[in-house]
Amino acid sequence: MANNIKPQSKIKNSVSTSAFYAIAYIVVGFMALICLIPFIIVVSGSFTSENYLLFHGYSILPKEFSLEAYKILFKVPGTIIKAYGVSIYVTVVGTALGLMITTITSYALSRRDFKYRSKISFFFYFTTLFNGGMLCSYIFITRYLHLRDSLWVLILPGMFSVFHLLIMRSFCQAVPFEIIESAKIDGAGEYRIFFSVIMPLLKSGMATIGLFMALGYWNNWYQAMLYINDQDKYPLQYLLYNMLQKTEAMQRVAALSGIVVKDMPKNSLKMSMAVVATGPILLVYPFVQRYFVKGITIGSVKG
Amino acid sequence: MKEFFKEIKKNRALFSMIVPALLLTIIFSYAPMAGLVLAFKNYRFDLGIFKSPFNGVENFRFLFVSGDGWRLTKNTILYNLLNLVTSQALAVVIAIFISEIRCKVYKKITQSLIFLPYFISWVLVGAFALAIFNYETGLMNNLVTAAGKERINVYAIPGVWPWIICAFNAWKWCGYNSVIYIAAITGVDQEIYEAASIDGANIFQRIRLITLPCIRPTIVIMLLLQVGRILRGDFEMFYQLVGANGQLYDATDVIDTYVFRALTTSTNLGMTAAASLYQSVVCFVVIMVVNGITRKVEEDYALF
C-alpha cells in the first residue's frame, strides 16, 4: 500500500483536503434538503388557500394562509377516525402477535440443542428465494381462505417475515447458553425458561423488530387495495391513496360534508389528508430512529 | 423419518414454539405456490384452479408472441439495473461523506433527514410526485411558467419516466442503504487510518485505498441481494408513481404491474400465471448461479 502513496507538497494537500470537506458538507446538506423539501411542500400546501394554489400552484412556503382544508376534513371526522381505528387496530394486533411469534421462533431456532434447526431455518429462508408472487397469493386468499373484506387479511400475511427472523436470531445468539442450561437444572420447563428468563434479555431486540413490524403495518396500503372493498375498513394509507388519486373519494367527502363538489378545495384537501395520515410517523420518528439504524445494521450482516 | 418423530417427541416444547411461524409460512408462502400450475392451464373461473384443463406451454408461447413478454422483461431488467447502480452509488457516496463529517450536530441532523424517506409510505411519495409534477398546480410547472415557458405535462412523456422512477427510488432508499455502508465504514480499524496518515496519505488516498476496499464485501452483498430480484419490480413504487396511466405503459410496465392489472381485470389469468412463474424461476436461477460463482471466487462474499 505504501508504494501507492506518493509524497505531495503539504500546501497542495491541505487545499485539496479542504476542498474535499467543503464538497462533503455541501453534498450531504443538499441531499438532506432534497429529503426534507417534499415534506415542507405538502405541509405548506395543506395550509394554503385553494384560490392561491389554483393560480400559483404549490410552493415551499405557505403564501395565503388558510385552515379551510382541515376544517372540511374534520367536519366529517367519521371517515378519518374509522381509518385511524383500522390502522391502529391492524398495527397493534399485527405487531403484538407477530412479535410474539417471531421472537419465540428465533429463540427455538437459535438453541444449539435443537436438532433440525438449520433445516427448518432453510424452510423459512427458501421463501425469499422462490415464491409465487402476487397472483398466487391473491387467488389463494380470495378463493380458498375467503378473507376478502376481513381485517385479518391486513394482519396475517405480514405477520412473519424472514428478515425479522434473521435480526431476532442474532439477538438470541447473544444470550449465553449457560443461562438456559442452569434454568433447566433448576427444573424450569421450556416455556417457563423462555418467558421468565430469555424474554427479558431480548427486550431491545423485540423493540427493534417490533418497530419494523409496526412501520410495515402502518404504511401498508396495497393489501387493502387488493382485498378490502368495504369503505369502512379502509386503513389510513389506502384512504389517503383514494383521496389523492380517485375523484370518487373526493365526491364522498363532499357529500358527507354537504359542500358542492366544485367548491371543494381539492388541492389543499389532498395535502392536508397527507399530513393527517403521516403525522404520527413524523412525531415518533426522532425517538425510534436509532432502533431502526440498529436493526438495519444487524440485518445487513448475513445470518 | 422415524428419527425425526423421535426428535419431535423429545423436543416437543421447542417444536411447538415454531408451529405458528410454520403454519403462517405454509399458508401464506408455500400453499399459494400451487397456483403457479395455472401457468400450464387454460383458466376457467367456473372450474377453479385445479379443474381447469391443461394447455401445455400455450400461455408462455402467447406471452412472448404477443410481445408482452419481451417488453416486460426488457423494462424490468433495465429498471433494476438502473436503480441498482444509481441507488447503491448514491448511498456509498453519501455514506463516505457522512462518515468524514466532523461536526456532530450537522452529521446527526443531515443523517436523520436523509433517513426520513424510508419511513413514509409510497402513497405519500405519490403525493410528493403529484405536488411536483401535477400539470396545473405542480411545483415544477410553477417554475417553468415563472421562467416564461410552456407548461410541461410529464405524465404524457414516457421517455422521462425511467429517470423519474430511478430518482425517487434512489431518494427513498438512500438513507436505508447508507446506514448499512456507514456501519461498515465504522467497523474499519481506526489504526489503519492513523498509520496511513502518518505515512502522509491524503483524504483521497485514504478513501480509495482503505475505505473502499474495506467496505467491498458489503457492496458485493448488497448487489447480490438486488441481483436476486432482477425480474421483480417494486410494485408499490411503480403503482404510486405511474398509476393506471396507459400512456406510459410502454416505458414503465414491469412484470409486477402487469400481473396486478390482469388481477383487477381478471383477464387471461393463465398468461399472467405464466409471467409470474417465469419471473420466479428466472430470479431463483439467477440468484443461485450468481451466488454460486461468488462463493467460488470469494467465499466470504456469498449470501449462503
Side-chain angles (χ1 to χ4, degrees):
Chain A
M1 192 181 287
N3 296 340
N4 291 324
I5 299 167
K6 296 184 189 89
Q8 280 171 325
S9 76
K10 274 238 163 82
I11 297 164
K12 197 184 151 201
N13 238 345
S14 74
V15 167
S16 57
T17 304
S18 320
F20 172 84
Y21 279 109
I23 291 171
Y25 276 77
I26 292 169
V27 169
V28 171
F30 182 69
M31 188 66 208
L33 273 185
I34 291 180
C35 290
L36 178 66
I37 284 173
F39 291 90
I40 297 177
I41 296 176
V42 166
V43 174
S44 91
S46 74
F47 285 113
T48 305
S49 78
E50 188 68 11
N51 258 330
Y52 185 86
L53 286 184
L54 282 178
F55 285 105
H56 304 278
Y58 297 115
S59 54
I60 290 173
L61 293 170
K63 297 283 163 48
E64 276 178 29
F65 188 81
S66 152
L67 283 173
E68 199 191 1
Y70 288 96
K71 276 183 192 150
I72 293 178
L73 212 52
F74 287 107
K75 204 169 182 182
V76 273
T79 324
I80 293 177
I81 289 174
K82 260 183 210 148
Y84 253 103
V86 171
S87 282
I88 291 173
Y89 176 80
V90 167
T91 305
V92 169
V93 174
T95 306
L97 291 176
L99 195 53
M100 207 56 241
I101 291 175
T102 310
T103 313
I104 204 163
T105 308
S106 16
Y107 163 70
L109 290 179
S110 71
R111 282 276 297 263
R112 4 179 175 134
D113 53 341
F114 187 27
K115 208 172 166 190
Y116 289 94
R117 62 184 182 141
S118 58
K119 287 201 174 108
I120 294 170
S121 299
F122 182 74
F123 181 80
F124 291 128
Y125 189 69
F126 181 76
T127 58
T128 62
L129 299 175
F130 189 90
N131 59 68
M134 184 195 279
L135 174 80
C136 297
S137 307
Y138 182 81
I139 295 177
F140 193 73
I141 286 174
T142 51
R143 287 198 59 135
Y144 295 92
L145 298 176
H146 301 288
L147 283 176
R148 199 191 273 278
D149 268 341
S150 151
L151 287 184
W152 286 108
V153 81
L154 303 178
I155 295 173
L156 291 174
M159 210 148 86
F160 178 73
S161 100
V162 176
F163 176 66
H164 301 147
L165 183 76
L166 291 178
I167 297 180
M168 201 62 208
R169 208 177 58 180
S170 66
F171 277 100
C172 290
Q173 279 159 353
V175 176
F177 191 64
E178 288 70 37
I179 295 182
I180 302 163
E181 265 178 339
S182 67
K184 258 187 168 169
I185 291 166
D186 290 345
E190 293 290 359
Y191 278 90
R192 178 81 194 279
I193 295 176
F194 175 74
F195 283 107
S196 38
V197 180
I198 303 298
M199 231 165 73
L201 296 174
L202 294 176
K203 257 190 242 157
S204 91
M206 289 176 75
T208 305
I209 60 161
L211 286 167
F212 272 100
M213 286 179 188
L215 183 71
Y217 278 118
W218 187 266
N219 277 344
N220 194 318
W221 55 276
Y222 91 101
Q223 297 283 19
M225 178 169 75
L226 286 174
Y227 304 114
I228 305 286
N229 295 323
D230 182 353
Q231 295 195 326
D232 287 340
K233 288 181 183 159
Y234 280 1
L236 204 48
Q237 298 298 327
Y238 188 53
L239 181 71
L240 169 64
Y241 167 74
N242 275 281
M243 295 271 281
L244 289 172
Q245 315 279 0
K246 294 190 174 163
T247 42
E248 305 96 79
M250 225 22 119
Q251 283 160 354
R252 189 158 176 254
V253 177
L256 285 168
S257 56
I259 298 170
V260 189
V261 177
K262 72 171 171 50
D263 291 339
M264 290 274 287
K266 291 192 196 68
N267 292 300
S268 53
L269 205 54
K270 282 177 182 177
M271 295 302 135
S272 61
M273 184 63 209
V275 173
V276 169
T278 316
I281 289 190
L282 298 185
L283 286 180
V284 297
Y285 175 68
F287 308 103
V288 300
Q289 187 197 354
R290 64 195 172 94
Y291 289 98
F292 284 92
V293 171
K294 197 165 154 195
I296 294 169
T297 312
I298 293 169
S300 68
V301 182
K302 55 179 174 159
Chain B
M1 211 58 198
K2 209 174 160 192
E3 199 193 337
F4 181 67
F5 283 111
K6 227 169 85 190
E7 185 67 26
I8 289 189
K9 214 173 164 193
K10 196 181 110 203
N11 264 335
R12 59 180 172 274
L14 284 181
F15 268 102
S16 69
M17 285 176 176
I18 59 168
V19 165
L22 277 181
L23 282 178
L24 281 173
T25 307
I26 290 169
I27 294 174
F28 290 101
S29 299
Y30 281 97
M33 282 182 200
L36 286 173
V37 74
L38 267 185
F40 305 102
K41 286 187 166 200
N42 178 16
Y43 182 68
R44 280 178 48 193
F45 196 75
D46 53 325
L47 294 177
I49 295 177
F50 296 105
K51 284 179 189 153
S52 294
F54 279 100
N55 66 353
V57 293
E58 200 55 18
N59 290 324
F60 292 94
R61 203 179 64 85
F62 200 68
L63 180 68
F64 284 95
V65 167
S66 68
D68 282 352
W70 299 119
R71 180 174 53 101
L72 295 172
T73 308
K74 190 193 81 191
N75 278 349
T76 316
I77 290 179
L78 282 180
Y79 274 107
N80 276 323
L81 289 180
L82 190 63
N83 286 343
L84 176 72
V85 174
T86 52
S87 67
Q88 299 301 328
L90 180 68
V92 170
V93 169
I94 293 288
I96 289 176
F97 281 167
I98 286 184
S99 12
E100 290 294 340
I101 284 176
R102 297 278 171 270
C103 171
K104 282 231 171 72
V105 180
Y106 190 76
K107 191 171 181 164
K108 209 168 158 54
I109 292 176
T110 48
Q111 209 183 340
S112 298
L113 287 176
I114 293 172
F115 198 22
L116 192 54
Y118 165 71
F119 286 84
I120 56 168
S121 70
W122 276 108
V123 180
L124 189 70
V125 180
F128 290 166
L130 213 62
I132 298 171
F133 298 123
N134 183 12
Y135 185 69
E136 287 97 16
T137 55
L139 185 71
M140 188 190 73
N141 274 330
N142 293 340
L143 300 176
V144 169
T145 46
K149 301 222 174 70
E150 281 288 304
R151 282 172 187 278
I152 305 165
N153 186 4
V154 180
Y155 291 90
I157 314 168
V160 299
W161 281 89
W163 303 107
I164 293 179
I165 286 173
C166 152
F168 271 105
N169 179 68
W171 176 82
K172 190 147 191 323
W173 291 106
C174 177
Y176 182 96
N177 290 331
S178 62
V179 163
I180 296 172
Y181 290 121
I182 289 171
I185 294 171
T186 319
V188 179
D189 191 350
Q190 285 304 309
E191 280 177 19
I192 305 178
Y193 287 112
E194 278 158 27
S197 292
I198 293 167
D199 284 349
N202 65 22
I203 182 96
F204 303 100
Q205 288 165 325
R206 285 212 307 266
I207 289 172
R208 191 164 54 88
L209 300 171
I210 303 173
T211 310
L212 283 177
C214 284
I215 64 171
R216 208 170 67 180
T218 314
I219 298 178
V220 173
I221 286 172
M222 297 288 279
L223 294 182
L224 275 184
L225 281 173
Q226 295 298 315
V227 167
R229 302 177 42 84
I230 192 78
L231 267 191
R232 297 194 187 282
D234 184 343
F235 170 76
E236 297 196 33
M237 169 171 72
F238 281 93
Y239 196 75
Q240 287 300 338
L241 292 177
V242 180
N245 189 338
Q247 267 178 304
L248 301 177
Y249 283 162
D250 262 350
T252 61
D253 212 10
V254 291
I255 297 181
D256 296 82
T257 49
Y258 174 83
V259 169
F260 172 75
R261 245 191 354 269
L263 274 186
T264 45
T265 52
S266 274
T267 47
N268 221 334
L269 285 187
M271 211 164 105
T272 317
S276 291
L277 182 62
Y278 163 66
Q279 176 186 45
S280 298
V281 169
V282 171
C283 283
F284 183 69
V285 171
V286 166
I287 186 70
M288 290 321 250
V289 169
V290 173
N291 191 61
I293 293 171
T294 317
R295 207 169 42 198
K296 278 244 161 68
V297 179
E298 190 83 72
E299 204 179 340
D300 290 348
Y301 293 2
L303 289 175
F304 48 85

